[in-house]
Amino acid sequence: MKKMTLGLAGVVLAMGVAGCSGNAGTGGGSGGEGGNTENAGKAASSGKDQAVTLRIAMGSPGEGLIKVWEDIGKQFESQHENVKVEFTYQDDDTYKFIGLTNLLSGKNAPDLYFEWAGERLKKKVEDGFAADLTEKLKSSGLGDMFEEGTFNGMVVDGKTYMIPTAGDVTNVMFYNKKMFADQGLQPPATWEEFLALCEKLKAAGITPIVTGNKDLWPAGNWIGHLLSRVVGEQAYSDALQLKKPFNSPEFVTAYGYVQQLWDKGYVNDSANAIADNEGDMLFLNGRAAMHPIGSWLVSIAVEEAPELELGYFNLPSISGGKGDQNSVIGVLNGMVINKNSKHIDEAIEFMKLYSSAESSKKLTDAGAVPITKDGIDESAMHPLSLSLNELMQNAPTLVSPPDTGYAIEVANALNMATSQVLGGVKTPEAALEELDRTVAPLKK
C-alpha cells in the first residue's frame, strides 16, 4: 500500500511496535518514564564486562526520520555504558518481503525490528521471532506510556508482542459536507442507506463516488474491508493465507455488493484508469461527493483544497454480514523484540527513550506524529486527524489491508479481482474463479 508511512502522511498518527520477553536478557532493572531513562539505563548496563551491540532493523523511514533514530541511538549510547546501537535500513519492499526474513535467520539477527501488527506479527510469533512483552511492559513502565487502544492488533493469544509507534486508517469514506447538505443528506449508518444516498446524488447529476484504482491498492483497501464485513474476519484472513478458496458463496455475495455499485453507476467510469492522486484531486475539486481512501487525505486536502468542508464516515454496516460491523481497516506498525535476543532489557530501555516526550518532540519536528501519551498534541492536530486517530485506537476489530497483512502475490491477485468486479469487467463468480487459479501455484 503505497501511502502507508511512518508519519501517517505527517498528520494522523505515528506508531511503533516493540516487543519484550518475560525471559531475562542481559542487563538489569529499568526505571520510570522520561527523565529517569538515563539513570535506569546506566543501572541496566552496570556490571557488564563485555560490550553489547543492540541491533535495530527497519525499512527506510526517510532521511528526516533516519536522523532522529540515529540521534536517539547516540543518546542511548551516552546513557548506557558498554552499549553500541547499530542500525540496518533496507528498501521498503526488500525489507517487507525478503529482507527481514533473511536478517532474522542470519548470524547477526536484529534484537529489535520494525514490523506490522496483525497477521505479519502473528507469523513472527509462530516462527519464534517475537518476544512476549506482557510482563516487561508492566514492570518497566513502558506500557504506561501509551493508551490501551494503541496496542490493537499487537496481542496474540492474550499476550502483547509489540510497542506502538506508527499507523494509518487505510480507508474511510470521505465526503463533501456542502454537497451532502445541499441534497439534505447525512452520513449513512447502513448499506441500504448508503445506496439510497448514492441514488439521490446520481439523480442530482453528481457522481456519488470517485476512486483512482490504477495501482489496485486503493480499491483493494476499500473493498477488502467490505469483504471482511460480509464473510467475516476469519474467513477473510483464511482465504488470504490460502487456507480456504476465495471462490465461495460468501465471497460471491460480498462481491455482489461491489458489482451493484458499478451496475448502478455509482462509481466513476475511469476508476481503474486513473491513479490514486488523480482520484484525490477529482474529489477535492468537487467532481464527486465521496472518495474512499486513507487518513493521509486530510493533509492533502489541507494543502490542496483548504476551503473544502471535509467529513468522513466508516464503512456502513451490512445486514447479515458475518464480520464485526464496527471494524476499522488500518495498519499499526512499530518495533518487535526478537525472542532470541540476548539484549531484551536493552531493547526495552531503548524503546522507552524512543517513546519519551523528548524523542516525541524530535519525531514531530521530522514530520511524524507520535501516539504516546506525551506525543500527541491535540491542540495542534487537525480535528479530522484527531478523530481518525481515535477511530483506530477505539476500533473493536482492526482489519489488515490485503497488501500489508498478507503475502503480496495473494494480495495482488485479490486486488485484481476487485478491480475486475468494480470496473464491470467480470462477474463476481468469474473474477473469483480466476483468482483461485492465479493463487493455486502459491499453495504449499
Side-chain angles (χ1 to χ4, degrees), residues 25-228:
T26 59
S30 54
E33 298 179 21
N36 295 329
T37 303
E38 180 173 356
N39 292 335
K42 289 183 176 179
S45 297
S46 63
K48 292 177 183 288
D49 296 325
Q50 283 190 318
V52 168
T53 298
L54 183 66
R55 295 184 171 88
I56 302 175
M58 66 187 78
S60 178
E63 291 184 9
L65 287 171
I66 285 177
K67 185 179 185 303
V68 174
W69 276 97
E70 294 186 346
D71 283 349
I72 294 172
K74 291 175 183 177
Q75 183 180 356
F76 189 80
E77 289 175 345
S78 72
Q79 296 174 354
H80 294 72
E81 298 173 3
N82 302 323
V83 178
K84 177 183 178 182
V85 180
E86 181 179 285
F87 293 95
T88 296
Y89 307 101
Q90 295 184 342
D91 170 79
D92 287 344
D93 286 341
T94 299
Y95 179 85
K96 182 176 180 181
F97 300 117
I98 60 172
L100 176 58
T101 299
N102 291 339
L103 288 171
L104 289 172
S105 301
K107 183 178 179 181
N108 294 316
D111 302 286
L112 187 63
Y113 62 91
F114 175 89
E115 185 55 285
W116 285 265
E119 294 302 323
R120 287 181 61 99
L121 174 61
K122 289 180 183 178
K123 186 68 167 59
K124 294 300 185 296
V125 173
E126 292 170 1
D127 292 344
F129 291 120
D132 172 11
L133 311 179
T134 309
E135 294 305 319
K136 288 283 187 179
L137 288 170
K138 295 177 182 176
S139 63
S140 69
L142 179 55
D144 294 333
M145 300 172 81
F146 302 89
E147 299 291 349
E148 184 177 352
T150 57
F151 289 92
N152 274 343
M154 302 177 189
V155 178
V156 179
D157 295 331
K159 299 176 181 179
T160 305
Y161 290 89
M162 275 184 148
I163 300 166
T165 62
D168 284 294
V169 176
T170 58
N171 199 274
V172 290
M173 188 66 77
F174 286 96
Y175 69 97
N176 185 315
K177 284 187 172 183
K178 185 177 186 306
M179 283 188 181
F180 269 45
D182 289 346
Q183 299 300 319
L185 300 172
Q186 295 290 333
T190 67
W191 188 260
E192 290 75 17
E193 291 176 359
F194 177 60
L195 293 179
L197 180 153
C198 288
E199 186 61 35
K200 187 167 184 179
L201 288 165
K202 181 185 175 185
I206 300 170
T207 299
I209 305 165
V210 65
T211 186
N213 192 47
K214 184 177 180 180
D215 295 323
L216 302 183
W217 63 263
N221 277 259
W222 172 30
I223 303 306
H225 194 193
L226 185 152
L227 296 176
S228 74

Side-chain angles (χ1 to χ4, degrees), residues 353-432:
L353 177 60
Y354 177 90
S355 305
S356 68
E358 178 185 357
S359 296
S360 292
K361 176 64 166 59
K362 295 178 182 178
L363 290 161
T364 300
D365 291 344
V369 185
I371 58 162
T372 57
K373 290 179 180 178
D374 293 330
I376 296 178
D377 183 357
E378 295 187 1
S379 64
M381 288 181 73
H382 190 287
L384 281 182
S385 296
L386 183 60
S387 175
L388 286 160
N389 187 350
E390 293 171 349
L391 178 69
M392 173 171 274
Q393 290 196 25
N394 296 326
T397 301
L398 189 67
V399 176
S400 295
D403 64 350
T404 300
Y406 305 92
I408 191 62
E409 299 90 349
V410 181
N412 286 343
L414 176 60
N415 290 348
M416 176 60 74
T418 292
S419 72
Q420 291 170 340
V421 178
L422 184 66
V425 176
K426 290 183 180 292
T427 64
E429 294 84 354
L432 288 165

Side-chain angles (χ1 to χ4, degrees), residues 278-306:
E278 294 176 283
D280 293 344
M281 294 313 300
L282 286 173
F283 171 69
L284 296 177
N285 290 331
R287 301 288 294 277
M290 294 178 286
H291 183 42
I293 200 69
S295 50
W296 51 84
L297 184 72
V298 177
S299 61
I300 299 172
V302 168
E303 183 174 345
E304 300 290 343

